[in-house]
Amino acid sequence: MSSLTRALVAEVRARRGAADPMPPRIALPPVVAPPARVYVARRPALTPGAASAHTTALLGIGHVGTRYATDVVLQFQAELAVAHEAVAAEFTDGWAKDHGFLPLQTRVADHREYLLRPDLGRRLAPASLARLQAEAPKGVDVQVILADGLSALACMQAGPALYEATVAALRARGLTVGAPLCAKFARVWLEDEIGAEVGAKVAIILLGERPGLGTGDGLSAYLVHAPALGKTDGDRNMMSNLHARGTPADEAAPRLAALAHAMIQQGVSGVGLDLAKVDAVIERGYRAPQVRQRLVERGGTR
């Protein structure tokens, strides 16, 4: 059996060219001579900190030997602490009611469960659902929802201003807006159930976004046309980095209103929305260089 196997293998190798393993010689293409002159665009030399003056990203931070400088490490740790604090924060008792919102809560029982069970943050608790059905007006054009998301700090600090600006921009376009709602332990898809319950044409949820380094106050906005359970992320449009150092409320609000108005006109949202037909409410262009907020000041020796 062994000899038969070897014979079969040898036959296969022979058929595949084992007897003449070298590939056939082919003519190589001619090598084109390089140009006589090479023109190089003259650019001004960049200093080490030039790029960092135009972004809040960690660029041009330098090093001491094989390590980062002490103040850089401390700044990084401080910014990481800001992000951790934002994720761990919860609404203070009575915050929603004190700010004129109808308080709602999802099926999440506590903050730990909120982080571990995103699915429970997409549906209202039975008591909140009953309250929504009893107190919120039906058949509105747009239902705006303020929610904590992954940064209750962002919601409490910048949420009311963005909510008021968005509602004003929607009404300026002649759209009716639903009751002021604020949801605790909420995920993005909660807007589907709330929007469907009130019969809104468009639902907008403004919620604290996942914090980055030193950015625990950012909000995101998600919009969906004809909200209903079962909608996917492909059915939504969104804007992120809504904060003072990103897109401020006075710029974000008219854009959100323009998107909602276009969704109602086109009868669709998400990937099907023709963004070319959305009103250009704000001129696009370069903004002033951002300045990274220093949380740790350099002092003493490294």
Side-chain angles (χ1 to χ4, degrees):
M1 181 64 68
S2 175
S3 59
L4 178 60
T5 302
R6 290 177 180 174
L8 291 174
V9 171
E11 182 181 353
V12 171
R13 288 177 176 173
R15 290 181 181 179
R16 296 185 63 84
D20 185 19
M22 294 297 293
R25 292 181 177 274
I26 59 175
L28 296 176
V31 178
V32 180
R37 288 186 177 182
V38 177
Y39 294 91
V40 179
R42 295 184 178 275
R43 297 186 178 91
L46 294 177
T47 60
S52 61
H54 299 275
T55 178
T56 56
L58 287 171
L59 298 178
I61 57 178
H63 59 87
V64 177
T66 60
R67 301 175 183 272
Y68 296 124
T70 301
D71 67 309
V72 172
V73 175
L74 293 177
Q75 174 75 9
F76 179 86
Q77 292 176 340
E79 292 182 349
L80 187 60
V82 169
H84 286 172
E85 182 181 7
V87 172
E90 297 184 34
F91 279 133
T92 56
D93 293 339
W95 184 90
K97 185 176 181 180
D98 293 342
H99 287 77
F101 293 94
L102 178 66
L104 303 173
Q105 183 168 327
T106 64
R107 299 181 181 182
V108 174
D110 53 45
H111 190 265
R112 184 175 185 276
E113 187 175 59
Y114 172 71
L115 297 176
L116 296 177
R117 294 289 304 273
D119 55 317
L120 297 180
R122 297 168 182 164
R123 301 293 300 274
L124 287 174
S128 289
L129 179 59
R131 188 172 186 181
L132 176 69
Q133 294 170 338
E135 301 184 30
K138 310 296 190 295
V140 297
D141 290 327
V142 184
Q143 178 62 61
V144 185
I145 307 143
L146 187 62
D148 50 3
L150 286 172
S151 179
L153 285 178
C155 183
M156 291 186 288
Q157 292 174 2
L162 180 59
Y163 176 87
E164 293 296 337
T166 302
V167 169
L170 290 167
R171 288 175 175 164
R173 288 180 171 270
L175 301 175
T176 58
V177 182
L181 308 177
C182 182
K184 183 177 182 180
F185 297 141
R187 297 282 179 170
V188 172
W189 290 10
L190 181 65
E191 67 178 354
D192 298 337
E193 181 179 32
I194 293 178
E197 288 294 335
V198 301
K201 297 177 182 177
V202 172
I204 303 177
I205 188 167
L206 312 173
L207 78 170
E209 65 185 4
R210 182 179 291 104
L213 286 177
T215 308
D217 58 345
L219 294 162
S220 291
Y222 291 81
L223 306 86
V224 62
H225 178 265
L229 296 178
K231 290 281 185 176
T232 68
D233 288 337
D235 299 313
R236 306 176 206 279
N237 298 83
M238 67 89 67
M239 288 180 61
S240 62
N241 291 308
L242 308 181
H243 54 84
R245 301 174 312 286
T247 303
D250 59 346
E251 292 185 14
R255 295 182 184 182
L256 294 174
L259 280 172
H261 189 252
M263 290 175 182
I264 294 174
Q265 287 184 323
Q266 298 181 32
V268 69
S269 60
V271 296
L273 184 67
D274 187 352
L275 296 177
K277 296 180 180 179
V278 178
D279 295 344
V281 293
I282 292 180
E283 293 293 333
R284 294 180 179 270
Y286 293 105
R287 62 182 178 185
Q290 301 180 55
V291 178
R292 192 178 192 91
Q293 181 181 2
R294 291 200 58 82
L295 303 179
V296 178
E297 295 298 332
R298 180 183 298 179
T301 59
R302 293 194 177 111

